[in-house]
Amino acid sequence: MCGLIGIAEFSRSIEIPKAEIALQSIAHRGPDYQSRWTNGKNIYLGHNRLSIIDLSQTANQPLHSKHSKAVIVFNGEIYNYKKLKNELNYDRYFTNSDTEVILEGYLERGIDFFKKLRGIYSFAILDYRYTINKIILVRDPSGIKPLYYIKEKNSLKFASEIKALKILSKNLEIKSTSLRQFLNLSYIPEPKTVYKNINALEPGCYIEWCSNGESYKKKFFDFSFQSSNNSSFYNNIEKVEAKLLNAIKRNLVADVNLTFALSGGIDSSLVYNYANKFIDNIKAKTIIYSDEKRYNEIENSSIYASKFSGNHQFINLKEKIDLELINKIFLHFDQPFADSSAIPTYLLCREVSNDSKIIIGGDGGDELFNGYPSQTWLLYYYKYLGFKSLWKIIGYGHRIFPAKLARKLDRLKNLAYTSNDIFDLIYQKNSWLPIGTKINDIDVFIDSDNIHHQKQYKSLFSNEIPIKIADKIVFDHFRKNLLSDFLRKTDMMSMLNGVEYRIPMLDEDLCNLALSIPFKEKSNLITGKLHLRSLHKRYYPSRTSTSSKMGFRIPLDIMLSKEDKLIISNDLLDRNSIIYSFINRSYVEFLVDQLKSHDYPRIISREGIYQKILILYNLHTWHENQ
């Protein structure tokens, strides 16, 4: 796992000192070795290496082909590289790395070779065999490894993180639409970024950029989000287990130590169980919080770990989580980002870095196998969305029902304000500040035009959108929440600590199978992930297989000090803050009052208060640091 940058200028010379600063800005992604290659004029390739496969110096990058004019910079791992190596006609390898296999496979078989890759990756190949030089940018089908770029008529700049491109570019313009979407979602959905001329390369796509000014972008790998599997439920369970076993076996390929993230949930414990079939004495770590049972997963994770003789460690977050740590974590994302689970993810990866270079998690199972309750109830809610008056009447039940139920009913009422489009409904459901949110009968947003932002959200990855409503729900979770929130979180937090984060559940072959299984076979109104739960019961006590999803949460309401809350309050109430370009001040004042108090208002939960405050605070802090 590494960090790469690249610059190609065909109308002027490259500013090498600036390129060096950009390369150094992402040195945390590859602390083992830094190198660069330039033709001395208009092309620069830089690489920071985290050595995982073939630790020798001969595998350092940028890596050149011995017999052809081509060079590669690569971020990630190719798990099936040995198999692919044997399939190629080339037999004069000078490394034992997966990097060389990618390069020689491309030179022998072209773009089609990328379809065979199984792993996590983004890379760039400079092909200068011909009169017209070409640069090919490639990203893995699930989008686990990021690649950002700025493409202009006579230049191409790309990097593993936005911070490097900010150094290489001038006059970057902020997109207000992206900021508005952040305020709704707590992240900015790809392939857009907060900057108008910086984009993320879409998963499973490549860009071919030529020195004569021609360029194009195409897909080389397609997932079908249209369910079409005709097997029975029980046959599919066996298929899922076979694919999952193969995926985990692939993910164990490494020349360095591995550690597993073991939570109390279904997915990580299944991955942990199958991994123990292939290797002994597995290291595993679990995050816990002192005296906070509602956030801890001690009981279930202890049961999972006790089944095997590996080295399992509880990481108790006794240290104070303060604004200094929070600012360090969220400013690292280069653009507004406010998923609070980034905090424990960072702390987990920091602990893993003490004795391992790789952490393996259970991410992706929820998106593929309907692990979120909302995936299923949204489908049924959509069928009856036309009865808007009914939902609004039900919503008014918040006046008589207990607070927790009242908030859910109020949420249903707000969802009824949406259109009859499933993506509008999903956007509204995912929004922390949805349509209908008011304070003193005044809209929370100064600009109440939600349609424009929802339309742009709906248009993302439009070439992949399936036909059936149920499949659209799966598509949205996989291509939006997972890609732009959870995968960015794990990549940024692991690489900040010089650790590679692997995700077996997102193996290409397992994804293809999961996406082909009919929606209603994977979940019902009560339970999700039916296939994974059935497998889980084979290896663990049934009561652990029926537990509800807990999530990777952190008790900010308890861990933040009074002093930190005061600083946050003062920042949020700063009349010059960018917040007030979007949000009605009355609502910010309401949230600040709730931050300072210990009340439990009926209309909003304590967790809801802290998440909204985190969103506003991170927007303010990010903008102040521009």
Side-chain angles (χ1 to χ4, degrees), residues 201-390:
L201 179 59
E202 292 91 334
C205 288
Y206 72 93
I207 290 176
E208 188 168 300
W209 188 87
C210 303
S211 58
N212 65 356
E214 295 180 359
S215 69
Y216 57 86
K217 179 170 58 180
K218 291 185 178 181
K219 290 188 71 66
F220 68 90
F221 193 105
D222 279 302
F223 287 124
S224 173
F225 293 92
Q226 183 71 43
S227 56
S228 58
N229 191 309
N230 294 319
S231 297
S232 69
F233 174 78
Y234 296 103
N235 285 338
N236 281 328
I237 290 175
E238 303 309 318
K239 289 181 179 180
V240 169
E241 181 164 50
K243 294 292 186 186
L244 185 52
L245 274 166
N246 193 45
I248 291 167
K249 185 177 181 180
R250 285 173 176 166
N251 275 256
L252 299 177
V253 173
D255 295 329
V256 295
N257 291 334
L258 302 152
T259 294
F260 285 74
L262 182 61
S263 71
I266 301 291
D267 304 335
S268 68
S269 54
L270 261 183
V271 170
Y272 180 69
N273 172 76
Y274 291 131
N276 274 278
K277 295 180 180 294
F278 300 110
I279 56 177
D280 298 323
N281 301 316
I282 287 180
K283 292 180 182 177
K285 296 183 189 291
T286 302
I287 289 279
I288 61 172
Y289 307 101
S290 296
D291 303 322
E292 280 301 306
K293 292 183 180 180
R294 64 192 171 114
Y295 293 98
N296 284 338
E297 302 181 85
I298 296 176
E299 184 178 357
N300 282 0
S301 57
S302 296
I303 292 171
Y304 305 146
S306 65
K307 183 181 176 183
F308 305 101
S309 58
N311 178 7
H312 179 233
Q313 177 188 1
F314 285 111
I315 302 170
N316 197 326
L317 297 184
K318 295 179 180 178
E319 70 172 282
K320 184 179 179 182
I321 295 177
D322 55 19
L323 277 190
E324 182 179 357
L325 177 65
I326 289 172
N327 290 338
K328 173 184 178 179
I329 288 171
F330 289 106
L331 288 175
H332 180 69
F333 281 89
D334 304 328
Q335 60 181 349
F337 185 86
D339 184 339
S340 61
S341 65
I343 300 170
T345 302
Y346 166 80
L347 296 171
L348 174 63
C349 291
R350 191 182 68 182
E351 290 294 325
V352 168
S353 68
N354 293 326
D355 52 32
S356 299
K357 281 189 173 183
I358 298 171
I359 183 169
I360 299 181
D363 308 69
D366 289 311
E367 289 74 16
L368 291 169
F369 292 94
N370 299 5
Y372 301 107
S374 62
Q375 286 170 293
T376 302
W377 69 251
L378 266 176
L379 180 61
Y380 291 92
Y381 185 92
Y382 179 79
K383 290 181 178 180
Y384 300 101
L385 187 59
F387 300 96
K388 296 183 184 296
S389 297
L390 172 63

Side-chain angles (χ1 to χ4, degrees), residues 24 32 79 187 190 213 231 257 270 332 369 407 537 591:
Q24 186 59 34
D32 294 332
Y79 304 137
Y187 63 87
E190 293 189 13
S231 297
N257 291 334
L270 261 183
H332 180 69
F369 292 94
R407 287 191 290 268
K537 290 177 183 177
L591 291 176

Side-chain angles (χ1 to χ4, degrees), residues 561-571 595-596:
S561 67
K562 290 183 179 179
E563 292 77 14
D564 287 336
K565 292 179 181 179
L566 180 61
I567 293 171
I568 292 172
S569 299
N570 290 337
D571 284 347
L595 174 66
K596 295 176 180 178

